[in-house]
């Protein structure tokens, strides 16, 4: 079996990280893989031979020329199936390219935002099957009118052992200029509105007053970066909220944290939450999208209603007041990642869909 994967993200986190996990694991099953990605994408370095990487330029959702460029790759590599992993440009344009070449096509959907009921029957006609990374995203598509026969949930995965590293307290405090007594929460997410940074900021003043040792690391990149940097220079956030930006060494950072907070308004599943739990951290998050499929309320962290800043503050306060409980939650989350979100489980789920699609196409 030869699969052509299309991933247009330029940085190795979220969906792109999942694609690297999948390709490298499929190769152990004897599956041949080709990856299409934009020039300079970080995922190219994460894919191990004998998988082949083909760089194809993509200027965005309206880059119609991408259809022709991808068709040429399909003609050259002759895959049995095309798997589209990205929303940016790759979903519709990639589906058109695969359809024009008569190649079976699978789409991974990683976001939970609803689509118009008149768009769904037109757009999703391009795909033989849709893989959602959470049951919540599957529900959104069902509510939009897509047939359940065309949808399978295969949750995102985490290489939990790789994220289970020992803390380096001295390095951590020096790297981020933190005091010896610092207890640090982090929010690791794109700096965009739906990740809910504003809710955390609104919840913080009372916490900072009660817990002077509390510090917040804001990790990630996006259009809100400048705004957040400016806010961090004002009271009561000055010296307490640290807008770090994107870091390549998130694995090294996580073990030194007290907890992770994720106050999102919408979320497909939340790969950053898988990483945090694998590192043994308790989580304060919202009941948005697929997050409740990752965080078990009262067991691996606390879940709050989206936008409820009082509940977010109360949950963070509860962890700070009960460090033993926080530690137990972190350990429970780590066990859950090992049992339910392994790369092996995710790869087997995708492979089962491939076989189903190819059998239906008469290639099984």
């Amino acid at each position: 079996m030869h699969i052509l994967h299309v991933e247009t993200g330029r940085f190795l986190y979220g969906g792109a990280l999942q694609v690297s996990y999948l390709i490298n694991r499929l190769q152990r099953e004897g599956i041949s893989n080709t990856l299409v990605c934009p020039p300079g994408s970080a995922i190219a370095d994460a894919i191990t031979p004998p998988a082949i990487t083909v760089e194809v330029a993509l200027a965005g959702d309206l880059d119609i020329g991408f259809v022709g460029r991808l068709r040429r790759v399909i003609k050259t590599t002759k895959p049995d199936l095309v798997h589209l992993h990205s929303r940016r440009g790759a979903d519709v344009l990639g589906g058109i390219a695969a359809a024009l070449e008569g190649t079976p096509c699978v789409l991974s959907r990683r976001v939970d935002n609803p689509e118009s009921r008149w768009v769904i029957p037109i757009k999703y006609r391009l795909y033989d099957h849709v893989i959602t990374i959470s049951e919540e995203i599957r529900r959104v598509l069902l509510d939009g009118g897509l047939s359940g026969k065309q949808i399978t949930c295969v949750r995102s995965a985490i290489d939990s052992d790789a994220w289970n590293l020992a803390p380096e307290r001295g390095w951590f405090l020096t790297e981020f200029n933190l005091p010896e007594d610092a207890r640090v929460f982090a929010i690791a997410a794109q700096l965009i509105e739906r990740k809910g940074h504003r809710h955390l900021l609104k919840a913080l003043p009372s916490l900072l007053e009660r817990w002077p040792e509390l510090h917040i690391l804001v990790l990630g990149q996006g259009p809100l970066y400048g705004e957040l940097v400016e806010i961090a220079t004002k009271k009561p956030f000055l010296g307490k909220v640290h807008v770090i930006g994107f870091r390549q060494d998130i694995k090294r950072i996580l073990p030194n944290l007290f907890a992770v907070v994720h106050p999102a308004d919408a979320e497909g599943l939340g790969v950053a939450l898988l990483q945090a739990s694998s590192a043994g951290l308790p989580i304060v998050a919202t009941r948005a999208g697929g997050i409740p499929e990752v965080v078990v309320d009262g067991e691996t962290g606390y879940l709050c209603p989206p936008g409820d800043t009082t509940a977010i503050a109360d949950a963070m306060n509860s962890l700070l007041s009960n460090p033993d409980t926080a530690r137990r939650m972190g350990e429970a989350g780590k066990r859950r990642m090992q049992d339910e979100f392994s790369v092996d489980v995710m790869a087997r789920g995708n492979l089962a869909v491939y076989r189903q699609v190819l059998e239906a196409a008469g290639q099984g």
Side-chain angles (χ1 to χ4, degrees):
M1 188 188 300
H2 177 200
I3 308 300
L4 178 72
H5 303 267
V6 182
E7 168 56 54
T8 58
R10 294 186 177 275
F11 301 99
L12 194 59
Y13 58 73
L17 186 63
Q18 293 299 308
V19 178
S20 70
Y21 286 158
L22 176 61
I23 292 176
N24 292 334
R25 182 61 184 83
L26 286 174
Q27 293 188 130
R28 290 167 52 186
E29 297 293 326
I31 306 301
S32 175
N33 299 273
T34 297
L35 169 68
V36 170
C37 63
S41 297
I43 189 175
D45 294 329
I47 302 303
T48 59
I52 298 169
T53 299
V54 180
E55 294 186 340
V56 177
L58 174 62
D61 292 342
L62 301 180
D63 184 2
I64 303 301
F66 181 73
V67 173
R69 293 191 288 275
L70 183 57
R71 288 186 69 184
R72 286 193 287 274
V73 177
I74 295 173
K75 288 179 185 293
T76 302
T77 59
K78 297 181 172 59
D80 297 300
L81 181 145
V82 172
H83 188 164
L84 306 171
H85 294 275
S86 298
R87 190 171 180 222
R88 178 182 175 270
D91 55 356
V92 174
L93 299 178
I96 292 171
L100 290 174
E101 289 303 314
T103 305
C105 183
V106 169
L107 172 73
S108 280
R109 195 173 196 274
R110 304 184 182 280
V111 294
D112 65 341
N113 57 294
E115 292 180 279
S116 170
R117 291 186 69 92
W118 69 264
V119 168
I120 284 179
I122 299 172
K123 174 182 175 180
Y124 287 88
R125 192 179 303 162
L126 294 169
Y127 317 118
D128 294 89
H129 209 84
V130 180
I131 297 173
T132 64
I133 64 167
S134 70
E135 289 292 348
E136 174 62 17
I137 298 174
R138 185 175 188 273
R139 182 196 63 76
V140 167
L141 291 177
L142 291 172
D143 289 348
L146 195 61
S147 168
K149 295 179 180 179
Q150 196 181 347
I151 318 169
T152 298
C153 174
V154 180
R155 290 195 180 111
S156 293
I158 186 74
D159 182 2
S160 56
D161 290 340
W163 291 86
N164 184 21
L165 304 180
E168 301 175 72
R169 182 72 174 176
W171 166 83
F172 179 69
L173 296 179
T174 301
E175 182 72 12
F176 299 108
N177 194 27
L178 298 167
E180 286 288 337
D181 66 344
R183 286 205 279 180
V184 186
F185 281 70
I187 175 170
Q190 287 179 282
L191 307 184
I192 55 178
E193 285 291 332
R194 68 183 178 89
K195 297 299 182 179
H197 296 81
R198 65 193 183 280
H199 305 314
L200 173 59
L201 292 172
K202 189 174 180 181
L204 276 180
S206 61
L207 289 166
L208 292 171
E209 184 176 349
R210 178 174 181 182
W211 303 98
E213 72 273 29
L214 175 61
H215 288 256
I216 307 293
L217 294 188
V218 180
L219 301 165
Q221 61 188 7
L224 295 182
Y225 179 82
E227 178 182 332
L228 291 170
V229 168
E230 182 178 355
I231 291 172
T233 65
K234 299 177 180 178
K235 292 183 178 181
F237 307 119
L238 181 61
K240 299 294 185 178
V241 174
H242 311 268
V243 183
I244 306 302
F246 179 72
R247 296 280 299 213
Q248 295 281 4
D249 57 351
I250 188 72
K251 287 181 183 178
R252 190 179 184 187
I253 293 170
L254 286 178
N256 302 285
L257 301 174
F258 182 77
V260 160
V261 57
H262 195 75
D265 293 320
E267 188 64 80
L269 188 69
V271 172
L273 303 180
L274 304 183
Q275 296 166 349
S277 282
S278 294
L281 296 173
I283 296 168
V284 173
T286 56
R287 295 186 183 89
I291 292 176
E293 297 175 45
V294 179
V295 182
V296 181
D297 189 30
E299 181 179 325
T300 68
Y302 293 117
L303 292 176
C304 310
D308 190 334
T309 56
T310 300
I312 291 168
D314 288 346
M316 294 174 67
N317 182 65
S318 181
L319 290 180
L320 289 163
S321 301
N322 301 280
D324 289 340
T325 298
R327 193 174 303 110
R328 285 195 297 271
M329 285 181 165
E331 290 299 320
K334 185 188 299 184
R335 291 192 297 271
R336 190 160 187 267
M337 293 303 104
Q338 294 167 343
D339 293 342
E340 299 185 32
F341 290 86
S342 73
V343 174
D344 285 351
V345 170
M346 182 267 286
R348 286 198 299 269
N350 279 272
L351 185 54
V353 172
Y354 299 163
R355 287 172 172 154
Q356 174 185 333
V357 170
L358 292 177
E359 183 176 351
Q363 300 179 37

